Amino acid sequence: MKKLIYILVVVVLVGAVAYTLNKNKKEMTEAAAVAEIKSEAIPVALTEAKTAQLDKSFTVQGNFEPVQSLTLMSETSGQIQRVLKRKGDRVRTGDLLVQVESSTMNADLATAQANYEKAKRDLGRFENLAAGEAITKRQLEDVRLNVSTTRAQLVAARQRLTKTRITAPISGEINEMYIEVGSYLNPGTKLYDIVNVDRLKLNVTVSEAEVLLVKEGQKVKVSANAGGTQEYDGTVTAIAAQADATLKYDVEIEVKNTAKNNLRAGMYGTAAFQVADQRDAMLLAREAIVGSIQDPSVWVVKDNKASLRKVKVGVVTQDQVEILDGVQPGEKVVQSGQINLREGIQVTPLK
């Protein structure tokens, strides 16, 4: 009997504990829900896109490329005896870079020279014989053909010897080297990558409206994003005749580097096209942009709910961005407070 009573007491206690825990859980859930409801409306500062006059001047960005660059290949075979220029060295057109073993080529040249001299002497004798009709015309033609053949062999031997002295075909800087003293070359062996950065090309893309404002020979101010405030003089050298898949037009700008070659191929650069004219544009505060200028979005507010929307931007100034697509005039856009937003969340405009 006592045992039964103990069991009943334990069951009652367990039930009481379970009831209390369940009640507390419900109360905590309800409190969290209330807190969530209270904190759901996020305070934000709003702005809107407005139409205003904007200078037709515009800036575009792209990458610097060398005007000249090449991979130098071997045109001869043989073992490398000397390497005169290495990675990082500046070279000028005609500078000796590599000397390849040339004893075989020298021997071939001496043989070709001797054969040619003999063929010329033979031709002199045969012409005298032909004058006395001591030989046939066919024999004389064969001797003359031999002179032409040995002359061609001599020229080829000289060229082969010349190619053992490998020289720089362009001026520039050796960006990479692939050989060492003792390496054996075959025709087509990669030797050097040479890059000329005395002048560079900034390749940019412009819209259909902007391309009408660009002319070949136009002067442009160019800066490197990594180069601080220093500006360089650029000249438009080429404009695409056809748009690409994104309806943008390629424009090539040639830029003269500094004496120290501060600009490097691959750097990111900005070109500023100055146009003395005004146009209507829809402008939005730059701080309203979420993400980068290359992939911009904004939070648009309708019925006090925030929605993230992709936009297309044009000219970017210090504090404003031109909106080409994605936002209509008069629509409310979050200017500050975006960090706490998510799709569809309630917002409260700050006064």
Side-chain angles (χ1 to χ4, degrees):
M1 185 67 178
K2 288 182 179 180
K3 186 176 180 180
L4 181 59
I5 292 172
Y6 288 147
I7 293 173
L8 290 173
V9 170
V10 171
V11 170
V12 171
L13 289 174
V14 171
V17 171
Y19 174 77
T20 302
L21 290 174
N22 188 51
K23 183 179 179 182
N24 290 342
K25 183 178 179 181
K26 285 183 177 181
E27 290 176 350
M28 292 174 64
T29 302
E30 290 173 358
V34 171
E36 184 176 350
I37 292 172
K38 289 181 178 179
S39 62
E40 192 173 278
I42 304 297
V44 294
L46 299 180
T47 185
E48 62 183 66
K50 297 179 180 179
T51 302
Q53 285 286 305
L54 184 67
D55 194 330
K56 283 189 178 180
S57 299
F58 61 95
T59 60
V60 285
Q61 295 180 316
N63 290 94
F64 288 105
E65 294 181 5
V67 170
Q68 286 182 304
S69 65
L70 61 81
T71 297
L72 182 61
M73 303 286 194
S74 169
E75 296 183 76
T76 188
S77 58
Q79 191 174 47
I80 295 177
Q81 290 183 326
R82 290 190 297 160
V83 174
L84 291 90
K85 299 293 183 180
R86 309 192 70 83
K87 183 175 180 178
D89 289 346
R90 287 189 57 79
V91 298
R92 301 191 66 81
T93 302
D95 283 354
L96 181 62
L97 306 178
V98 175
Q99 177 64 61
V100 180
E101 186 276 325
S102 59
S103 57
T104 301
M105 306 299 181
N106 278 314
D108 290 344
L109 177 59
T111 300
Q113 183 73 48
N115 290 337
Y116 176 58
E117 295 297 335
K118 180 179 181 300
K120 287 195 299 181
R121 290 194 298 271
D122 290 344
L123 178 60
R125 288 195 301 271
F126 271 70
E127 285 177 339
N128 290 332
L129 292 173
E133 298 183 350
I135 60 172
T136 65
K137 290 183 178 180
R138 177 62 182 272
Q139 289 175 309
L140 182 60
E141 289 174 359
D142 288 344
V143 175
R144 285 173 176 169
L145 178 61
N146 187 48
V147 171
S148 298
T149 301
T150 55
R151 183 190 298 117
Q153 291 171 346
L154 177 60
V155 170
R158 285 172 178 166
Q159 288 181 336
R160 287 194 296 272
L161 179 61
T162 299
K163 289 177 181 178
T164 62
R165 289 174 51 85
I166 300 174
T167 59
I170 64 171
S171 298
E173 185 173 313
I174 296 178
N175 195 54
E176 191 59 77
M177 64 177 291
Y178 303 96
I179 42 84
E180 280 294 348
V181 173
S183 300
Y184 190 87
L185 301 183
N186 287 306
T189 301
K190 191 184 294 187
L191 304 174
Y192 295 100
D193 289 337
I194 303 176
V195 178
N196 184 354
V197 292
D198 292 339
R199 303 188 75 85
L200 296 106
K201 297 180 293 184
L202 180 63
N203 293 318
V204 299
T205 57
V206 300
S207 68
E208 58 183 11
E210 293 166 343
V211 75
L212 298 176
L213 304 172
V214 180
K215 300 289 185 292
E216 277 196 44
Q218 181 175 346
K219 300 301 180 182
V220 182
K221 287 297 182 182
V222 174
S223 61
N225 292 19
T229 59
Q230 184 172 0
E231 289 188 334
Y232 303 82
D233 293 325
T235 304
V236 176
T237 54
I239 305 170
Q242 181 176 343
D244 60 18
T246 64
L247 300 182
K248 294 277 192 175
Y249 293 83
D250 291 327
V251 175
E252 184 179 287
I253 304 165
E254 188 170 307
V255 182
K256 180 173 173 48
N257 211 340
T258 63
K260 295 182 178 180
N261 285 348
N262 292 337
L263 292 178
R264 294 284 172 172
M267 282 185 173
Y268 207 54
T270 300
F273 290 83
Q274 299 298 323
V275 182
D277 199 358
Q278 298 282 317
R279 62 183 174 85
D280 289 333
M282 189 166 62
L283 304 178
L284 186 66
R286 184 166 181 171
E287 60 182 316
I289 298 295
V290 178
S292 67
I293 293 297
Q294 285 72 39
D295 185 26
S297 301
V298 296
W299 286 98
V300 179
V301 176
K302 185 177 181 181
D303 298 329
N304 289 332
K305 289 186 178 180
S307 178
L308 189 62
R309 189 185 297 174
K310 290 282 188 182
V311 294
K312 184 179 179 182
V313 302
V315 175
V316 179
T317 66
Q318 186 172 359
D319 56 358
Q320 289 185 311
V321 175
E322 180 187 11
I323 302 297
L324 301 177
D325 190 26
V327 176
Q328 298 300 318
E331 282 192 295
K332 301 298 182 182
V333 177
V334 177
Q335 182 170 345
S336 63
Q338 299 98 323
I339 191 171
N340 297 315
L341 299 184
R342 61 180 183 273
E343 191 67 29
I345 196 170
Q346 290 278 346
V347 297
T348 299
L350 292 171
K351 302 297 184 182

